[in-house]
Amino acid sequence: MFRGNHPAKIEESGRLKVPVPFKQLLDAANITDLYVTTADGERAQIWPLDEWKKNESRLKKHSVGNKAVKNYLDMTGYHGQEVKMDAQDGLCWGRFCARGRSLRANWR
């Protein structure tokens, strides 16, 4: 869904401000529910929740006998959280808030 490079501002509190081009896409598709996770503890992945569910379902089909896919699903499941965008077009996820600017956001 998201394409291009639009830097996101992460506030001191760890709240992530959604870049305007991505906010416009979310608004056009009437999406407020997101899934935020990390596979490596360094970069956050931000997905529209419905897209994450499709991706997760597809990956689960390939996880049997594939250790890399199983590890990815384990990591993203452990660290993942469903979030809603707040009234100021931002979001806060436990790992952002806990580590502040140390995570980079990757929009999916």
Side-chain angles (χ1 to χ4, degrees), residues 27-42:
D27 287 347
N30 198 30
I31 295 170
T32 58
D33 297 325
L34 303 169
Y35 189 75
V36 185
T37 189
T38 183
D40 62 7
E42 298 297 323

Side-chain angles (χ1 to χ4, degrees), residues 14-30:
R15 184 177 166 276
L16 175 72
K17 181 75 174 169
V18 177
V20 171
F22 294 152
K23 173 67 169 111
Q24 291 170 338
L25 286 171
L26 293 168
D27 287 347
N30 198 30

Side-chain angles (χ1 to χ4, degrees), residues 14-80:
R15 184 177 166 276
L16 175 72
K17 181 75 174 169
V18 177
V20 171
F22 294 152
K23 173 67 169 111
Q24 291 170 338
L25 286 171
L26 293 168
D27 287 347
N30 198 30
I31 295 170
T32 58
D33 297 325
L34 303 169
Y35 189 75
V36 185
T37 189
T38 183
D40 62 7
E42 298 297 323
R43 289 173 294 274
Q45 296 178 13
I46 301 143
W47 297 72
L49 182 57
D50 288 341
E51 291 300 315
W52 172 256
K53 288 179 179 179
K54 290 177 195 173
N55 180 59
E56 187 177 45
S57 178
R58 181 181 54 81
L59 288 170
K60 283 182 179 179
K61 292 176 186 174
H62 299 288
S63 67
V64 176
N66 187 325
K67 189 173 181 174
V69 173
K70 183 178 180 331
N71 288 344
Y72 175 81
L73 288 171
D74 287 348
M75 183 70 123
T76 57
Y78 178 78
H79 293 291

